[in-house]
């Protein structure tokens, strides 16, 4: 589909420096703020439910990978529960571990990934909370009672890497900075907001993109919100050939007032859509 094509193209498109013709009351038109790499990594892991745990295979110069449901603790460490298995035996022999999670298609930061390199620490079952048991049960499909018989561990980071698929960039994050960072307050609502905005407000988004980027709306083939957080949103724009913009771009839009709830995000977009319509009409 056109929207799917937009997403694929936009993910490898460089960010566009948009020449905004006039100021917008609710937007940072110059140097729009973005989440730091640490905040982006924490946001991604907070909303992901499964990842890949790699351990050192005893007697072989190779890594052993296993898919697993996970959650993160307050310090951002991935927490997993393993039955008696090859992965569990590997980690008994060597605590060295690497954990990887990727943002699912349709979610904020889709295609982006976080890699955590560190050591696996065993967690006594009496330190595991009922909330953690219930969350991991929902994510794994296993009962809390069965999970309570597994070996619980967390991967404590020594190195953290974030790969941003939207802006085609990557960064190593100091583990202290990662531990102190917080996920966007909108991380849990982002996927539902993206679905609502892109499915129900496609024409409004195209009008806003045209007005904001100073191009004709007829030149825009498709427009899609790729990611959203409390500082703003990333807009993917696919233009027709010959448009004054490059064929594809990702535009960062910064919000002056940070929304703290999904309802506040909807209100902010409603105001932007109304202002774009007024500007287009010359009001």
């Amino acid at each position: 589909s056109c929207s799917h094509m937009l997403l694929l193209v936009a993910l490898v498109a460089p960010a566009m420096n948009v020449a905004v013709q006039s100021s917008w009351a609710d937007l940072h038109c110059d140097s729009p703020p973005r989440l730091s790499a640490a905040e982006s990594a924490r946001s991604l892991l907070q909303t992901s439910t499964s990842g890949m745990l790699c351990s050192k295979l005893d007697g072989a110069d190779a890594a052993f990978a296993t898919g697993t449901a996970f959650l993160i603790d307050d310090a951002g460490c991935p927490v997993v529960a393993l039955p008696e298995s090859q992965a569990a035996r590997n980690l008994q022999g060597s605590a060295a571990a690497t954990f990887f999670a990727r943002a699912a298609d349709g979610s904020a930061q889709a295609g982006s990934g976080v890699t955590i390199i560190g050591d696996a620490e065993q967690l006594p079952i009496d330190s595991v909370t009922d909330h953690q048991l219930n969350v991991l049960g929902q994510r794994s499909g296993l009962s809390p009672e069965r999970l309570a018989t597994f070996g619980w561990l967390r991967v404590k980071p020594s190195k953290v890497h974030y790969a941003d698929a939207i802006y085609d960039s990557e960064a190593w994050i100091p583990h202290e900075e990662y531990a102190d960072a917080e996920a966007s307050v909108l991380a849990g609502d982002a996927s539902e907001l993206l679905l609502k905005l892109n499915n129900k407000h496609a024409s409004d988004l195209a009008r806003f993109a045209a007005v904001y980027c100073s191009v004709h709306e007829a030149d825009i083939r498709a427009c899609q919100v790729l990611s959203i957080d409390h500082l703003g949103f990333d807009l993917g724009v696919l233009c027709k050939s010959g448009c004054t913009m490059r064929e594809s771009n990702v535009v960062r839009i910064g919000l002056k007032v940070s929304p703290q709830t999904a309802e506040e995000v909807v209100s902010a977009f409603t105001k932007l859509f109304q202002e774009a319509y007024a500007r287009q009409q010359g009001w």
Side-chain angles (χ1 to χ4, degrees):
S1 67
C2 187
S3 61
H4 181 63
M5 177 183 178
L6 164 65
L7 180 59
L8 294 178
V9 174
L11 290 183
V12 298
M16 179 186 185
N17 294 319
V18 177
V20 183
Q21 295 301 313
S22 59
S23 63
W24 290 63
D26 299 315
L27 301 180
H28 288 287
C29 295
D30 296 321
S31 302
R34 292 175 55 188
L35 296 181
S36 68
E39 292 169 328
S40 295
R42 292 294 296 264
S43 298
L44 188 157
L45 289 178
Q46 179 174 302
T47 54
S48 297
T49 60
S50 63
M52 192 70 65
L53 177 66
C54 296
S55 53
K56 184 178 179 181
L57 187 62
D58 187 32
D61 187 19
F64 183 87
T66 184
T68 180
F70 79 101
L71 52 85
I72 59 171
D73 63 14
D74 291 341
C77 301
V79 176
V80 304
L82 297 177
E84 174 58 30
S85 60
Q86 184 63 58
R89 291 190 291 273
N90 292 345
L91 292 169
Q92 291 172 357
S94 172
T98 298
F99 188 85
F100 173 78
R102 176 185 178 276
D105 293 342
S107 68
Q109 305 166 274
S112 299
V114 177
T115 301
I116 292 179
I117 301 172
D119 290 326
E121 297 181 343
Q122 301 296 323
L123 294 177
I125 190 60
D126 57 7
S127 70
V128 177
T129 66
D130 289 342
H131 176 70
Q132 289 176 319
L133 277 167
N134 290 329
V135 170
L136 205 60
Q138 293 171 358
R139 295 180 176 185
S140 66
L142 302 175
S143 69
E145 292 75 18
R146 185 178 179 191
L147 287 172
T149 68
F150 287 7
W152 284 65
L153 57 87
R154 68 173 186 168
V155 180
K156 188 174 182 180
S158 58
K159 296 180 179 179
V160 180
H161 182 270
Y162 177 66
D164 188 329
I166 294 177
Y167 288 95
D168 193 24
S169 63
E170 58 182 347
W172 286 101
I173 307 167
H175 63 86
E176 300 91 346
E177 180 183 344
Y178 170 79
D180 291 339
E182 294 183 357
S184 170
V185 69
L186 296 175
D189 296 314
S191 293
E192 186 174 344
L193 285 167
L194 291 177
L195 186 64
K196 180 176 183 178
L197 288 167
N198 291 325
N199 287 355
K200 296 184 178 181
H201 296 281
S203 60
D204 294 322
L205 286 170
R207 180 186 299 113
F208 168 78
V211 175
Y212 186 86
C213 300
S214 302
V215 298
H216 294 295
E217 187 176 346
D219 286 333
I220 294 180
R221 290 175 55 193
C223 182
Q224 190 177 52
V225 180
L226 302 176
S227 189
I228 189 167
D229 55 72
H230 63 285
L231 298 179
F233 58 98
D234 302 298
L235 195 63
V237 182
L238 187 65
C239 281
K240 297 178 180 178
S241 300
C243 177
T244 54
M245 292 169 58
R246 290 175 299 184
E247 184 177 352
S248 60
N249 292 282
V250 180
V251 183
R252 177 65 181 180
I253 312 294
L255 298 172
K256 287 184 178 179
V257 178
S258 297
Q260 301 298 301
T261 65
E263 291 75 16
E264 291 179 3
V265 171
V266 172
S267 176
F269 270 92
T270 299
K271 290 178 67 177
L272 291 178
F273 294 156
Q274 291 172 343
E275 184 171 354
Y277 181 79
R279 288 179 180 231
Q280 191 181 61
Q281 301 302 313
W283 298 346

